[in-house]
Amino acid sequence: MPKKYGLSFSWKRLVGLSGLKNKVARKTGIPLTKSGLERKIGRIAIKSVKKLVK
């Protein structure tokens, strides 16, 4: 269903799920999105490799 006039409906936002996930991610420091989690894991892996090389 295409969006009309820039408006969209999200049941997750209506229920408050998006806000809850955002709060959890901020408090724990662990992103809950797939791409965010992959970035964080990649960053940790690169840092550990750099430490081994030094």
Side-chain angles (χ1 to χ4, degrees), residues 21-51:
K21 283 175 68 174
N22 191 12
K23 284 182 184 178
V24 169
R26 284 176 188 256
K27 289 217 178 204
T28 61
I30 301 171
L32 298 177
T33 63
K34 183 178 177 182
S35 62
L37 194 56
E38 287 173 351
R39 278 196 319 266
K40 186 165 186 100
I41 291 170
R43 195 176 313 122
I44 291 169
I46 289 172
K47 284 182 180 180
S48 63
V49 168
K50 283 184 177 181
K51 284 183 181 179

Side-chain angles (χ1 to χ4, degrees), residues 3-4 6-10 13:
K3 296 179 186 178
K4 293 184 181 182
L7 300 175
S8 64
F9 175 77
S10 171
R13 287 190 61 183

Side-chain angles (χ1 to χ4, degrees), residues 2-20:
K3 296 179 186 178
K4 293 184 181 182
Y5 310 110
L7 300 175
S8 64
F9 175 77
S10 171
W11 67 269
K12 291 179 182 179
R13 287 190 61 183
L14 178 68
V15 174
L17 192 59
S18 297
L20 179 64

